[in-house]
Amino acid sequence: MTARIERLVTSGTFSLDGGSWDVDNNVWIIGDDDEVLVIDPAHDAGAVRKAIGDRRVTAIIATHGHNDHVNAAPALADLTGAPVHLHPQDEVLWRMTHPGRPADRPLADGDVFEVAGTAVTVIHTPGHAPGAVCLYAPALRALFSGDTLFQGGPGATGRSYSDYDTILASIQARLMPLPGETVVHTGHGDTTTLAAEAPRLRELLAKGS
């Protein structure tokens, strides 16, 4: 059976630099009727576990370490027995939410995860956070962008551990060379495509910082 993409929306708060904001997060589940990979389990481990059902979880991947993307990750790991993967450069953010429990395994650029016969490749895209990654599944024509790229442009860079020039460089060098028809499954809000975002990104790059 071909791998498919499922979305679960969970609600909670994002907190950083002394502020807190209500957010809705996209939790992405890739797989088939037997096994799945989970991206960014947010806010409610029980709801994610229910969406998974009795399928085996091969891995839990955090696109970055902000609390709203990782706050349910350890609980989901406990429920499923699957390891949590995080880029080491985002450990400083992870520890703000889980000071007593490190992520289980490090992510590195170029790592490949296999689920339901589908390859998912890690692309390091710093900027929104130093260890931010996107996940590319060419067979599904899908990019899971976390908070690196949204419908309408790059993710926010106005808080600690983020940088505007870096996120633009990441998107230009690592994402825009991918096929334009690639569907971008974002960390919040609606999906888009790389082709749809290209004009806005070219405009931002022309303006510079």
Side-chain angles (χ1 to χ4, degrees), residues 8 10 27 41-52 71-80:
L8 172 70
T10 59
V27 181
H43 308 304
D44 189 339
V48 180
R49 185 70 182 89
K50 183 177 179 180
I52 294 166
N71 51 14
L76 185 65
D78 290 343
L79 288 170
T80 64

Side-chain angles (χ1 to χ4, degrees), residues 1-199:
M1 183 175 291
T2 303
R4 60 184 182 270
I5 299 168
E6 303 166 32
R7 179 175 74 162
L8 172 70
V9 178
T10 59
S11 300
T13 58
F14 163 58
S15 301
L16 188 65
D17 296 337
S20 185
W21 300 265
D22 293 333
V23 289
D24 295 327
N25 283 64
N26 294 327
V27 181
W28 297 103
I29 300 170
I30 309 170
D32 59 15
D33 290 343
D34 298 317
E35 63 178 23
V36 297
L37 180 154
V38 179
I39 301 171
D40 289 346
H43 308 304
D44 189 339
V48 180
R49 185 70 182 89
K50 183 177 179 180
I52 294 166
D54 60 0
R55 293 176 290 180
R56 182 173 68 91
V57 180
T58 60
I60 300 165
I61 301 179
T63 61
H64 60 292
H66 285 153
N67 75 292
D68 59 318
H69 289 254
V70 303
N71 51 14
L76 185 65
D78 290 343
L79 288 170
T80 64
V84 180
H85 300 253
L86 177 79
H87 195 285
Q89 290 184 26
D90 263 21
E91 288 178 358
V92 62
L93 293 167
W94 170 278
R95 286 195 297 269
M96 293 179 185
T97 305
H98 305 297
R101 178 169 177 167
D104 298 306
R105 297 179 186 173
L107 281 176
D109 185 68
D111 284 351
V112 178
F113 292 82
E114 294 278 348
V115 61
T118 300
V120 181
T121 300
V122 175
I123 304 174
H124 185 210
T125 52
H128 180 71
V133 302
C134 295
L135 301 164
Y136 180 46
L140 302 177
R141 297 184 179 179
L143 178 77
F144 301 87
S145 63
D147 286 1
T148 293
L149 181 63
F150 291 103
Q151 184 181 81
T157 54
R159 302 187 181 97
S160 295
Y161 306 103
S162 64
D163 184 79
Y164 178 75
D165 289 341
T166 301
I167 199 171
L168 280 186
S170 290
I171 293 170
Q172 180 184 30
R174 306 307 309 278
L175 303 187
M176 298 316 295
L178 300 177
E181 66 269 18
T182 301
V183 177
V184 181
H185 300 274
T186 60
H188 309 271
D190 296 331
T191 59
T192 184
T193 65
L194 289 176
E197 300 309 315

